[in-house]
Amino acid sequence: QSALTQPRSVSGSPGQSVTISCTGTSSDVGGYNYVSWYQQHPGKVPKLIIYDVTKRPSGVPDRFSGSKSGNTASLTISGLQADDDGDYYCCSYAGNPWVFGGGTKVTVL
Amino acid sequence: QLQLQESGPGLVKPSETLSLTCTVSGGSITSGYYWAWIRQPPGKGLEWIGEIYHSGSAYYSPYLTSRVTISVDMSKNQFSLKLRSVTAADTAVYYCHRRTVNSSFRDYWGRGTLVTVSS
């Protein structure tokens, strides 16, 4: 069982928006602004798309945005594209260790 | 351009020690970052194993701390992972990567290496 709770799957049509939640506790998500999100395609290395709750690494489109409210962080993908199909993982600092969510499968219909 | 590359045996017997090395090229391992390991069992999610600063300060997952050691070899620009008393549950793709201090920014990753625990 993962420390952070994510929905198993979300789906949307091209052009739509989807939001993935990541629920933790005051000891991890709620306690630190060190939430990150990763996109992973089958057989590939996880790709960082959001770090420190809201920041985007260079090269990541602004269609990806992150936020946090209390013990829940969220990743929103706007203008869904076919290439967004994949697995998404949240990660949070928990006062050492770092903890991950179980992952969410995003399906572009 | 910084590059990280994992190396080590792809097959380890149960009860033995898994040993992996991550070689850093294109930059110095003493440059003020954390150097870390994450793993992913086949078909499952990501799990943080631990990380180390070039000074030698290391932090480990509480679930693995009794079996894991991460070390740095500055002369070779490498850091290593040792996981003792492995079982089939330790079968996974192991990724090394770099994390920025005081941030969740993990920018450079190795390609990952599959380690299978089997007799």
Side-chain angles (χ1 to χ4, degrees):
Chain A
Q1 187 172 354
S2 302
L4 306 179
T5 300
Q6 297 181 233
R8 286 209 172 229
S9 64
V10 299
S11 61
S13 300
Q16 289 186 331
S17 295
V18 295
T19 296
I20 303 169
S21 61
C22 171
T23 302
T25 69
S26 58
S27 297
D28 38 64
V29 174
Y32 306 93
N33 287 323
Y34 289 151
V35 176
S36 53
W37 291 89
Y38 297 86
Q39 176 194 64
Q40 188 178 36
H41 292 129
K44 299 297 186 181
V45 179
K47 176 187 176 183
L48 181 69
I49 53 174
I50 295 290
Y51 68 101
D52 297 351
V53 182
T54 61
K55 299 176 183 177
R56 275 189 313 276
S58 173
V60 174
D62 59 6
R63 301 186 297 105
F64 294 90
S65 62
S67 63
K68 188 182 83 167
S69 177
N71 297 335
T72 298
S74 298
L75 171 72
T76 298
I77 310 173
S78 306
L80 208 56
Q81 298 181 2
D83 191 49
D84 298 333
D85 201 285
D87 295 321
Y88 291 77
Y89 296 92
C90 63
C91 177
S92 175
Y93 185 60
N96 205 47
W98 294 78
V99 291
F100 282 91
T104 298
K105 168 65 179 171
V106 171
T107 301
V108 181
L109 301 171
Chain B
Q1 175 80 351
L2 195 75
Q3 291 187 325
L4 282 70
Q5 178 67 58
E6 304 91 349
S7 59
L11 181 64
V12 181
K13 290 183 168 55
S15 80
E16 296 190 344
T17 297
L18 180 160
S19 296
L20 294 175
T21 296
C22 184
T23 300
V24 180
S25 57
S28 173
I29 204 166
T30 63
S31 56
Y33 291 88
Y34 280 98
W35 304 93
W37 293 93
I38 281 171
R39 69 181 182 179
Q40 185 171 34
K44 297 188 178 180
L46 302 169
E47 179 185 11
W48 182 79
I49 299 172
E51 61 189 16
I52 190 167
Y53 197 65
H54 67 82
S55 63
S57 299
Y59 305 91
Y60 304 122
S61 165
Y63 305 108
L64 299 171
T65 190
S66 63
R67 299 194 290 131
V68 67
T69 302
I70 298 175
S71 58
V72 168
D73 186 336
M74 288 183 281
S75 67
K76 294 183 180 179
N77 225 35
Q78 295 175 335
F79 62 106
S80 299
L81 168 71
K82 290 191 186 299
L83 184 63
R84 298 174 290 279
S85 304
V86 297
T87 69
D90 295 309
T91 294
V93 176
Y94 286 76
Y95 295 101
C96 64
H97 64 278
R98 182 181 85 167
R99 183 180 72 81
T100 298
V101 175
N102 294 326
S103 174
S104 57
F105 188 60
R106 303 174 191 271
D107 49 359
Y108 291 99
W109 292 63
R111 292 184 177 181
T113 187
L114 174 63
V115 179
T116 301
V117 178
S118 175
S119 55

